[in-house]
């Protein structure tokens, strides 16, 4: 914790920040205790949206009926979460800031409406700054308090595309534990789609199973792209190693293997389907 | 016009249905007062509330040999004309044969809470369903008050319906978790499928959309509204079939992925019935222009980005105004996702016809806004950012005498910013737009006087949602709580069905709500009230209350217990960051077996195990759900 007391340094380790948060969320805000230095240091580090400079941290009382302050998992929200209440009407003007810390989900504006200020403020008036598509991100997380990433059912999903099929799918690797199982899933995912591509009026009986994905014997072969951008054949390394490094799957024509794998190893252009 | 309004509005929910107190299986419910005799939104399969009837009480569904087939046929022919679900629910309670016939003729089913019953119960009762409206997560989930992966999975519904309703034509989901596989199953199982509407949904990507586009050959409506759609890098627009399509409505403004414009142009060209088109922000002005020239029959248009990437070319820019002029039928306009304000005048030609205008992504100043709004005399629905300021609202009040629905969103949703709109704007609207029925207004400061004025000037109000963004903010002129303002709303607006309160509120405000909120069905409370009495006022009053969502308010066990007589007649109760204990929730769960009591906590809540972070409880015919994640405890 010494790191945060160093002068001028505004780069504590993340671990320190976490410790600071858990400490802070247990201590009532309004006590000006012996850790006041701690407070000011933290205030310097506090990432907030308001203007810099003097903050009006009045000793507001916590709402009396509350038993506990909601948990805050965010590194950004160093102020912790608590509520300032003004039950008496002492605060008659609104120019005083009544809420020192951000609160989850308040104001109740959906996330895709929240990023307007950062995105398109440059468009006001006669500014003709170009849009670069970064502006509005459809994020699920509040810009103040990032709770949890929008995970898809907690699984490990990787995209998978197949030669000849315009529609890509996703595979949850966390529910697979072997290459055979994966190969079976690929067949299940794409068999119908592939048949549909070949012949619009295909019926279930016309669908051929997709086999030989792993041994080079079938018409198609399963390949993957790892976290370094390299393209490899699926099946060569132990399953767990594969799962930890795979980023994307592709089903290619077996005849195209050599060209597909040499093409764009590393960070070159994407493999054409 | 009502159609357009309900498409744009996020809570089209219950504006049609009036009286709703669905009875559950009364035999096991400990209900003090009799259920109201009004119709139900989903009545129990085997309840027989009318004791005087001589009915089979075993609850089995084996049908007795019915002697009068003529009567059943007549009934069937007559009941077919009943559209409203209230009427149908009432009819189904008359007697067993009416119940049977109604069940066999109901084609549109509305399920307000996907966990109120199981999919198999649906398919067992209703045999000829062609349209399903299904809602999942409670609304506060939109504001990150609930961890993701809570549930509301569409999967069990689609798989059950795939076998039971192969003729299914329409699915309308709100706040459901829908996967690509679900969409694939849907596309494969229902050959006549016509309408897919996904509002505030998530869990799927452009791959799923591609499958629907490709396989649903009779598709008329594909509306993705405020949903989270992952970019699977699939050119889904190209997946529509090559021939002429039946498309009437295509809305993908929420899809955050680039699209193949050439394919879109081709699609629009071969969709002669297309009336509604909502583009996402990856469609530029130039592209919009080309689309408009090819689709002058559009009635509802979402304009995409309304800007362009490159610097304006040196050659002549397209005549955007001319393209809009050609769209004589456009009555509903939205989009403007990355608006370049200098191009806004292009929409002048359509302003006079507009009944619905959505500027809620456009940061427009009052000066830019006023010339436009002064042409919009027919406007009934208007959504905007508060960047138009009180001045802009005054302009709306001057011109838009037909306004029914107003929504003002904050450009900068912080609690401490100054705020460009205030009671001045609200007052102006109340004076100019006397026909106002629905308002959602975000602001930083407000006065009781303005709210009272609105209650007096706008008697048609059914929805009043005021969000004073600073918590516990009083009337900024008098310094008093906002009790009188909201009190006036419930007193004077006799048709009020939905209310959301904010600002500094004492128990008195809730006393007013309980006493005068006779038709209120939905109530949202945040950071309000002084004591348990506040919640008790509401639970002991508000006879029509269906949906109650409360956060961060000092209400405890005693208040929660005071509502036990009515939880079976409500769709749900949400209480987060209040003062509830686990013990009390357990008691209620024990006393009310048909109520599912979910306690949702954060992962490491060990230090305060008795404290309930979030309570979400709802009635259910089929008991607690089996798909609850670890962080949900069902008591």
């Amino acid at each position: 914790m010494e790191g945060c007391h160093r002068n001028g340094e505004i780069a504590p380790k993340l671990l320190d920040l976490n410790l600071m948060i858990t400490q802070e969320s247990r201590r009532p805000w309004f006590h000006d205790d012996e850790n006041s230095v701690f407070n000011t240091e933290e205030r310097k580090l506090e990432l907030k949206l308001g203007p810099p400079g003097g903050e009006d941290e009045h000793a507001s009382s916590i709402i009396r009926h509350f038993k506990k302050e909601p948990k805050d998992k965010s590194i950004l929200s160093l102020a912790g979460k608590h509520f300032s209440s003004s039950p008496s009407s002492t605060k008659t003007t609104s120019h005083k800031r009544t809420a020192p810390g951000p609160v989850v989900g308040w104001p109740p504006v959906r996330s895709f409406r929240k990023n307007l200020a950062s995105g398109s403020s440059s468009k006001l008036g006669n500014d003709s700054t170009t849009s670069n598509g970064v502006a509005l991100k459809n994020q699920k997380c509040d810009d103040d308090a990032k709770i949890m990433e929008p995970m898809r059912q907690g699984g490990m999903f990787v995209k998978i595309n197949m030669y000849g099929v315009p529609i890509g799918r996703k595979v949850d690797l966390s529910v697979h534990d072997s290459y055979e199982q994966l190969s079976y899933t690929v067949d299940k995912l794409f068999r119908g789609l592939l048949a549909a591509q070949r012949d619009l009026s295909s019926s279930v009986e016309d669908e051929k199973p997709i086999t030989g994905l792993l041994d080079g014997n079938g018409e198609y072969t399963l390949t993957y792209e790892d976290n370094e951008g390299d393209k490899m054949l699926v099946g060569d390394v132990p399953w767990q190693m594969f799962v930890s490094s795979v980023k994307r799957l592709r089903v290619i024509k077996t005849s195209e293997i050599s060209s597909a794998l040499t093409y764009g190893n590393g960070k070159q252009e994407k493999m054409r389907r | 016009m009502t159609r357009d309004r309900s498409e744009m509005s996020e809570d089209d929910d219950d504006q049609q249905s009036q009286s709703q107190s669905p009875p559950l299986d009364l035999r096991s419910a400990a209900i003090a007062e009799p259920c109201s005799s009004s119709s139900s939104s989903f009545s129990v399969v085997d309840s027989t509330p009318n004791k005087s009837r001589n009915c089979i009480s075993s609850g089995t569904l084996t049908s007795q040999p019915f002697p009068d087939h003529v009567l059943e046929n007549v009934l069937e022919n007559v009941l077919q004309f009943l559209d409203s679900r209230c009427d149908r629910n009432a009819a189904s309670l008359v007697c067993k044969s009416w119940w049977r016939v109604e069940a066999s003729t109901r084609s549109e089913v509305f399920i307000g809470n996907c966990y109120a019953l199981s999919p198999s119960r649906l398919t067992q009762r209703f045999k000829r369903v062609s349209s399903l409206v299904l809602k999942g997560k409670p609304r506060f989930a939109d504001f990150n008050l609930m961890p993701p992966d809570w549930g509301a999975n569409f999967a069990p519904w689609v798989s059950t319906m795939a076998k039971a309703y192969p003729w299914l034509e329409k699915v309308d989901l709100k706040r459901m978790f829908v996967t690509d596989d679900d969409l694939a199953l849907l596309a494969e199982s229902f050959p006549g499928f016509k309408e897919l509407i996904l509002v505030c949904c998530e869990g799927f990507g452009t791959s799923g959309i591609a499958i629907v586009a490709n396989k649903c050959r009779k598709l008329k409506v594909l509306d993705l509204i405020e949903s989270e759609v992952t970019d699977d890098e699939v050119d889904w627009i190209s997946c529509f079939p090559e021939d002429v399509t039946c498309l009437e409505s295509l809305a993908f403004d929420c899809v955050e992925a680039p699209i193949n414009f050439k394919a879109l142009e081709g699609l629009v060209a071969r969709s002669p019935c297309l009336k509604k088109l909502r583009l996402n922000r990856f469609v530029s002005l130039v592209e919009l222009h080309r689309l408009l020239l090819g689709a002058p029959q559009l009635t509802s248009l979402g304009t995409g980005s309304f800007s362009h990437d490159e610097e304006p070319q040196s050659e002549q820019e397209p005549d955007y105004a001319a393209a809009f002029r050609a769209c004589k039928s456009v009555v509903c306009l939205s989009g403007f996702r990355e608006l370049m304000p200098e191009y806004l005048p292009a929409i002048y030609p359509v302003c006079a016809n507009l009944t619905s205008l959505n500027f809620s992504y456009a940061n427009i100043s009052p000066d830019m806004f006023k010339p436009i709004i002064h042409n919009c005399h027919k406007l009934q629905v208007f959504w905007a950012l508060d960047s138009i300021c009180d001045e802009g609202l005054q302009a709306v009040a001057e011109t838009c005498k037909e306004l029914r629905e107003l929504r003002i969103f904050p450009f900068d949703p912080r609690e401490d910013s100054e705020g460009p709109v205030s009671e001045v704007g609200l007052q102006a609207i109340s004076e100019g737009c006397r026909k106002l029925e629905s308002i959602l207004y975000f602001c930083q400061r407000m006065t009781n006087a303005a709210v009272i004025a609105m209650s007096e000037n706008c008697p048609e109000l059914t929805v009043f949602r005021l969000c004073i963004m600073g918590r516990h903010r009083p009337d900024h002129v008098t310094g008093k709580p906002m009790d009188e303002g909201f009190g006036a709303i419930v007193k004077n607006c006799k048709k009020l069905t939905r209310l959301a309160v904010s600002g500094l509120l004492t128990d008195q405000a809730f006393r007013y709500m309980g006493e005068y909120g006779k038709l209120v069905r939905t109530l949202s409370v945040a950071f309000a009230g002084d004591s348990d009495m506040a919640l008790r006022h509401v639970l002991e009053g508000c006879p029509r209350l269906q949906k109650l969502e409360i956060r961060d308010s000092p209400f405890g066990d005693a208040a929660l217990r005071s509502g036990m007589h009515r939880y079976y007649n409500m769709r749900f109760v949400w209480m987060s960051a209040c003062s509830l204990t686990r013990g009390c929730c357990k008691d209620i769960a024990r006393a009310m077996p048909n109520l599912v009591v979910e306690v949702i906590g954060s992962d490491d809540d060990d230090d305060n195990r008795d404290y309930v972070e979030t309570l979400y409880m709802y009635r259910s015919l089929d008991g607690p759900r089996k798909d609850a994640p670890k962080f949900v405890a069902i008591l």
Side-chain angles (χ1 to χ4, degrees):
Chain A
M1 290 306 292
E2 284 84 329
C4 59
H5 290 287
R6 239 167 258 148
N7 289 336
E9 232 171 297
I10 313 186
K13 299 194 182 56
L14 280 181
L15 219 48
D16 293 343
L17 282 178
N18 271 323
L19 286 174
M20 280 157 63
I21 293 171
T22 39
Q23 286 214 6
E24 273 309 302
S25 59
R26 295 218 182 98
R27 189 183 325 130
W29 254 109
F30 52 82
H31 285 311
D32 226 5
D33 50 14
E34 70 281 359
N35 285 334
S36 56
V37 173
F38 187 79
N39 277 345
T40 48
E41 281 296 321
E42 197 175 300
R43 226 170 279 149
K44 263 196 238 161
L45 300 168
E46 185 180 9
L47 300 170
K48 47 183 203 235
L49 300 174
E55 240 213 51
D56 203 12
E57 280 307 343
H58 30 251
S60 29
S61 55
I62 292 188
I63 291 182
R64 45 196 176 283
H65 296 282
F66 275 84
K67 287 198 179 128
K68 176 184 163 162
E69 303 153 19
K71 277 281 163 94
D72 163 35
K73 292 190 192 336
S74 159
I75 293 175
L76 295 179
S77 178
L78 293 181
K81 279 204 286 291
H82 73 109
F83 309 96
S84 67
S85 79
S86 39
S88 55
S89 43
T90 47
K91 297 193 176 55
T92 56
T93 50
S94 58
H95 65 258
K96 258 198 191 174
R97 289 160 60 144
T98 50
V103 175
V104 179
W106 188 263
V109 175
R110 293 207 183 110
S111 40
F112 55 81
R113 289 198 185 277
K114 282 207 163 180
N115 299 319
L116 296 174
S118 46
S120 48
S121 51
S122 53
K123 298 262 165 39
L124 190 56
N126 284 327
D127 261 345
S128 52
T129 45
T130 59
S131 73
N132 55 9
V134 178
L136 297 171
K137 286 205 152 242
N138 200 3
Q139 291 171 18
K140 190 85 165 111
C141 42
D142 196 322
D143 55 354
D144 297 325
K146 190 169 155 178
I147 311 185
M148 283 164 238
E149 296 287 359
M151 295 198 301
R152 290 230 219 151
Q153 301 281 26
M156 200 209 142
F157 283 87
V158 291
K159 293 185 199 169
I160 175 167
N161 292 95
M162 179 161 183
Y163 173 86
V165 178
I167 298 166
R169 304 305 305 279
K170 277 200 173 164
V171 177
D172 182 0
L173 288 179
S174 66
V175 303
H176 294 79
D177 54 19
S178 71
Y179 287 118
E180 286 68 46
Q181 221 184 349
L182 178 60
S183 171
Y184 173 74
T185 299
V186 172
D187 174 36
K188 203 168 62 129
L189 283 176
F190 283 108
R191 192 197 292 195
L193 294 171
L194 191 61
Q197 288 301 119
R198 288 192 171 142
D199 175 8
L200 280 176
S201 56
S202 73
S203 54
V204 179
E205 303 88 67
D206 294 341
E207 289 177 3
K208 278 184 355 183
I210 304 170
T211 55
L213 284 168
L214 303 169
D215 52 17
N217 287 335
E219 193 184 340
Y220 296 92
T221 298
L222 186 59
T223 68
Y224 73 104
E225 198 174 304
D226 70 4
N227 45 16
E228 287 165 7
D230 295 330
K231 295 184 174 53
M232 333 254 261
L233 287 174
V234 165
D236 290 339
V237 300
W239 172 256
Q240 278 308 323
M241 197 187 294
F242 163 71
V243 168
S244 62
S245 64
V246 64
K247 279 285 162 279
R248 226 204 131 97
L249 289 164
R250 276 201 176 87
V251 181
I252 59 171
K253 293 213 103 169
T254 308
S255 49
E256 302 281 305
I257 285 185
S258 52
S259 57
L261 295 185
T262 52
Y263 220 112
N265 255 340
K267 305 246 188 297
Q268 293 164 24
E269 58 170 297
K270 277 191 178 164
M271 187 173 72
R272 303 259 177 77
R273 254 176 271 117
Chain B
M1 259 329 99
T2 332
R3 272 198 69 99
D4 266 336
R5 281 184 52 200
S6 58
E7 275 153 21
M8 213 167 84
S9 79
E10 294 155 12
D11 33 67
D12 56 333
D13 188 1
D14 308 294
Q15 281 165 13
Q16 305 109 20
S17 45
Q18 292 303 314
S19 47
Q20 306 278 315
S21 341
L24 269 195
D25 188 349
L26 298 183
R27 284 171 290 171
S28 55
I31 299 181
E33 63 191 52
C35 281
S36 98
S37 55
S38 49
S39 42
S40 48
S41 62
F42 195 82
S43 42
V44 170
V45 171
D46 52 1
S47 75
T48 54
N50 187 343
K51 294 189 179 98
S52 62
R53 237 182 293 134
N54 187 13
C55 287
I56 306 161
S57 58
S58 62
T60 60
L61 298 180
T62 52
S63 46
Q64 290 219 305
F66 196 71
D68 200 338
H69 291 294
V70 174
L71 181 56
E72 273 219 353
N73 279 335
V74 168
L75 261 180
E76 208 173 289
N77 282 307
V78 168
L79 289 185
Q80 265 173 5
F81 290 103
L82 283 183
D83 287 331
S84 116
R85 64 180 196 259
C86 301
D87 293 341
R88 283 193 158 265
N89 290 338
S92 71
L93 292 177
V94 169
C95 66
K96 266 215 159 12
S97 69
W98 278 55
W99 183 92
R100 220 177 9 244
V101 172
E102 192 283 314
S104 65
T105 56
R106 190 185 298 220
S107 59
E108 265 184 39
V109 174
F110 171 90
I111 297 175
N113 175 7
C114 64
Y115 286 123
L117 66 147
S118 66
S120 48
R121 187 178 285 267
L122 167 72
T123 54
Q124 273 161 29
R125 174 173 175 183
F126 298 111
K127 297 297 185 191
R128 301 289 313 183
V129 174
S130 60
S131 161
L132 175 72
V133 178
L134 186 60
K135 301 195 180 192
K137 295 189 218 182
R139 199 178 68 97
F140 273 5
D142 290 350
F143 314 123
N144 294 335
L145 289 183
M146 186 182 247
D149 310 331
W150 170 82
N153 300 302
F154 183 50
W157 294 91
V158 65
S159 59
T160 306
M161 290 196 300
K163 303 183 200 101
Y165 307 137
W167 45 77
L168 194 71
E169 290 182 355
K170 173 175 167 183
V171 165
D172 181 339
L173 305 178
K174 187 165 183 181
R175 292 198 190 93
M176 297 285 300
F177 192 90
V178 182
T179 64
D180 290 331
D181 287 316
D182 297 336
L183 293 176
L185 183 58
L186 182 144
E188 281 158 23
S189 314
F190 308 119
F193 197 74
K194 294 194 178 135
E195 296 186 41
L196 181 64
I197 301 166
L198 300 175
V199 180
C200 302
C201 295
E202 55 171 352
F204 62 100
T206 45
S207 351
I209 300 304
I211 301 178
V212 171
N214 186 257
K215 294 222 164 152
C216 300
R217 296 292 158 124
K218 304 252 173 70
L219 198 66
K220 293 206 292 195
V221 173
L222 179 59
D223 280 354
L224 307 172
I225 299 170
E226 290 178 16
S227 293
E228 211 173 293
V229 184
T230 59
D231 179 6
D232 301 332
E233 290 166 28
V234 168
D235 180 5
W236 59 277
I237 300 268
S238 299
C239 293
F240 280 95
E242 288 295 321
D243 10 294
V244 171
T245 77
C246 316
L247 272 182
E248 294 175 13
S249 173
L250 177 63
F252 60 95
D253 43 337
C254 61
V255 177
E256 289 291 303
I259 50 137
N260 178 340
F261 178 71
K262 195 147 171 285
L264 178 64
E265 228 184 334
L267 177 65
V268 171
R270 61 183 193 279
S271 303
C273 304
L274 194 66
K275 290 277 188 285
K276 299 186 181 143
L277 181 62
R278 302 234 169 109
L279 309 167
N280 68 7
R281 63 180 179 88
F282 291 88
V283 179
S284 70
L285 250 183
V286 172
E287 291 168 339
L288 171 68
H289 180 257
R290 281 171 56 178
L291 281 176
L292 287 182
L293 292 179
Q297 81 281 9
L298 288 178
T299 59
S300 171
L301 174 67
T303 62
S305 66
F306 219 79
S307 71
H308 44 69
D309 289 336
E310 315 91 34
E311 293 302 310
Q313 304 93 329
S314 44
E315 330 101 52
Q316 187 151 30
E317 271 202 294
D319 187 352
Y320 298 119
F324 276 95
R325 209 171 296 125
C327 295
K328 299 195 191 316
S329 318
V330 165
V331 292
C332 174
L333 196 57
S334 61
F336 309 103
R337 296 263 166 161
E338 283 157 10
L339 171 71
M340 283 183 172
E342 57 269 31
Y343 292 104
L344 207 45
I347 71 169
Y348 279 145
V350 296
C351 286
N353 294 331
L354 286 183
T355 54
S356 170
L357 177 58
N358 182 349
F359 270 155
S360 64
Y361 289 95
N363 183 12
I364 326 177
S365 68
D367 291 329
M368 268 179 248
F369 172 68
K370 288 190 327 193
I372 300 198
I373 202 68
H374 278 309
N375 292 323
C376 302
H377 295 101
K378 290 196 190 159
L379 211 57
Q380 296 188 18
V381 177
F382 179 56
W383 293 19
L385 289 178
D386 59 4
S387 60
I388 62 172
C389 301
D390 286 330
E391 208 184 320
L393 288 170
Q394 282 162 329
V396 172
E398 279 160 23
T399 319
C400 308
K401 299 300 177 192
E402 297 297 315
L403 199 68
R404 303 288 199 272
E405 177 179 322
L406 175 69
R407 295 197 193 194
I408 300 296
F409 295 95
F411 173 66
D412 184 11
R414 287 183 285 144
E415 292 187 58
D416 49 13
S417 50
E418 258 313 298
V421 299
S422 68
E423 73 279 3
V424 173
L426 193 72
Q427 178 95 25
I429 292 287
S430 78
E431 288 164 5
C433 308
R434 299 299 177 106
K435 300 187 185 176
L436 198 65
E437 294 172 7
S438 168
I439 181 166
L440 167 64
Y441 196 86
F442 282 85
C443 59
Q444 293 288 357
R445 54 197 192 283
M446 187 46 61
T447 63
N448 282 305
V451 178
I452 294 171
M454 177 155 274
S455 76
E456 291 166 352
N457 294 334
C458 304
E460 301 296 315
L461 273 180
T462 54
V463 174
F464 185 80
R465 300 159 69 190
L466 176 62
C467 181
I468 304 169
M469 289 189 275
R471 288 168 277 149
H472 312 292
R473 288 247 175 99
D475 177 323
H476 80 99
V477 166
T478 65
K480 294 212 176 105
M482 291 299 298
D483 297 342
E484 294 308 312
F486 285 104
I489 290 285
V490 284
K491 269 187 230 166
N492 300 334
C493 302
K494 309 260 192 271
K495 301 186 183 178
L496 196 75
T497 55
R498 181 170 179 177
L499 180 64
V501 301
S502 60
L504 180 64
L505 292 171
T506 71
D507 290 351
Q508 178 61 35
F510 294 86
R511 187 189 302 268
Y512 288 139
M513 285 180 233
E515 186 175 339
Y516 297 105
K518 301 262 187 266
L519 296 182
V520 171
R521 292 176 35 110
T522 307
L523 180 62
S524 299
V525 175
F527 305 101
D530 294 329
S531 73
D532 280 357
M533 274 318 294
L535 180 54
R536 287 186 59 178
H537 287 312
V538 167
L539 288 173
E540 289 164 8
C542 295
R544 294 283 160 90
L545 193 63
Q546 287 290 298
K547 299 183 271 179
L548 182 59
E549 40 188 37
I550 302 175
R551 64 167 293 184
D552 296 283
S553 300
F555 307 143
D557 295 342
L560 191 65
R561 281 186 220 276
S562 72
M564 281 173 68
H565 64 288
R566 64 183 312 177
Y567 294 139
Y568 278 153
N569 287 337
M570 293 175 66
R571 191 181 295 175
F572 72 80
V573 173
W574 167 292
M575 287 179 68
S576 60
C578 297
S579 309
L580 301 173
T581 65
R582 214 174 167 98
C584 172
C585 297
K586 269 217 186 83
D587 291 343
I588 293 186
R590 228 176 283 131
M592 305 183 74
N594 283 329
L595 200 68
V596 176
V597 179
E598 292 193 14
V599 170
I600 305 166
S602 3
D603 291 334
D604 36 86
D605 223 349
D606 294 321
D607 37 324
N608 233 333
R609 228 167 296 205
D610 202 33
Y611 171 72
V612 168
E613 174 74 46
T614 299
L615 166 72
Y616 179 54
M617 59 189 198
Y618 50 89
R619 62 181 172 208
S620 171
L621 293 175
D622 288 311
R625 57 189 176 115
K626 313 257 183 336
D627 62 355
K630 289 199 300 282
F631 51 81
V632 170
I634 300 186
L635 302 179

